[in-house]
Amino acid sequence: MAESGADVGRQAILSGLIPPEQRVTVSAYSRAVFNGGFSLGVLAAGLAMSIDTQAAYTSLMLGNAATAVTGGLLYLRMPRIPGTRRTKDAASGRTAVRDLPYLAMSLVSGTIMLGDIILTVGMPLWVVTHTQAPRPAAAWLIGINTLMVMLLQVRTARGADSLAGAKRLHGWALLSLAASCVLAALTGSLPTWPAVALLALVTVLLTLGELWGNSARWTLRYDLAATR
């Protein structure tokens, strides 16, 4: 709940502070920087899994809590965004919940977010419990993801500078996600290093889906949302 609320809040801040023509680009830079910080967490997670003690895991969670508090304090330094006056149309009940086409688009677009869950939750559990890959690989594979996002997110976002481009990237993202799931299922029957190699390919496909999907979602959510 906190993560979902924070994501909505970040997008609202971008909408309030950044001109419309720059929102996708700024979102891409923000995502790249986010993954830079995330990569540090990946290194810490891999170290904790290598040590494999209760103290290591407890320290990891306390460190995560500390960074969350620090991030919250930094948000307090953001400029205040002026509110908007409710219009007669908005007051009559025509809210985003009644915008059925937009809700349908949001549901379809939201399926792309499954890639993040697969990468950060499903893949580590799968690696540890169903493959011959080394346990730390569960964390190191995410490093491939963070590096790719840091290097490619801004460039990928250029392909979503129009609704037609966003639609095209959206389709590629869904295909990449589907292919990654099929390949991931094959790794459970492979020896150690072939499993690691195929898991790395799965991570690349998941990341491509993330890059294309996020770029498309930024354009779709801003350009198709009703304005008040």
Side-chain angles (χ1 to χ4, degrees):
M1 291 175 63
E3 183 176 358
S4 297
D7 182 59
V8 173
R10 282 193 297 270
Q11 298 306 319
I13 290 173
L14 284 172
S15 178
L17 297 179
I18 305 300
E21 66 275 8
Q22 298 179 14
R23 287 171 184 166
V24 172
T25 300
V26 173
S27 295
Y29 277 108
S30 176
R31 184 71 177 176
V33 173
F34 171 87
N35 276 265
F38 195 83
S39 64
L40 298 178
V42 169
L43 294 174
L47 181 61
M49 294 181 70
S50 298
I51 299 174
D52 198 22
T53 64
Q54 181 176 344
Y57 292 123
T58 300
S59 298
L60 187 66
M61 289 185 284
L62 291 176
N64 185 54
T67 57
V69 171
T70 302
L73 293 175
L74 291 174
Y75 266 106
L76 294 178
R77 299 176 59 86
M78 296 289 292
R80 180 176 294 276
I81 301 174
T84 56
R85 190 181 296 274
R86 285 177 63 89
T87 64
K88 181 179 179 180
D89 186 52
S92 67
R94 292 177 57 83
T95 62
V97 177
R98 291 194 170 198
D99 191 346
L100 297 182
Y102 187 75
L103 286 178
M105 182 277 296
S106 298
L107 288 173
V108 174
S109 180
T111 59
I112 295 176
M113 299 303 294
L114 289 173
D116 289 340
I117 305 301
I118 293 173
L119 183 64
T120 59
V121 179
M123 284 270 286
L125 291 174
W126 177 258
V127 168
V128 171
T129 60
H130 288 83
T131 74
Q132 300 299 317
R135 289 173 62 90
W140 306 138
L141 288 171
I142 301 179
I144 298 175
N145 168 268
T146 57
L147 183 61
M148 287 182 63
V149 173
M150 290 170 61
L151 296 176
L152 301 176
Q153 183 66 85
V154 175
R155 177 174 297 182
T156 305
R158 297 171 187 165
D161 54 359
S162 66
L163 286 177
K167 179 182 177 181
R168 182 172 57 255
L169 290 184
H170 203 274
W172 281 111
L174 291 171
L175 288 174
S176 182
L177 176 61
S180 68
C181 291
V182 173
L183 293 178
L186 302 177
T187 60
S189 59
L190 296 177
T192 300
W193 295 114
V196 171
L198 189 55
L199 286 168
L201 177 59
V202 169
T203 303
V204 170
L205 290 175
L206 285 172
T207 305
L208 289 174
E210 177 185 346
L211 291 167
W212 292 327
N214 278 317
S215 298
R217 287 173 63 243
W218 292 325
T219 296
L220 294 173
R221 71 168 46 160
Y222 287 129
D223 287 9
L224 299 183
T227 57
R228 294 289 182 248

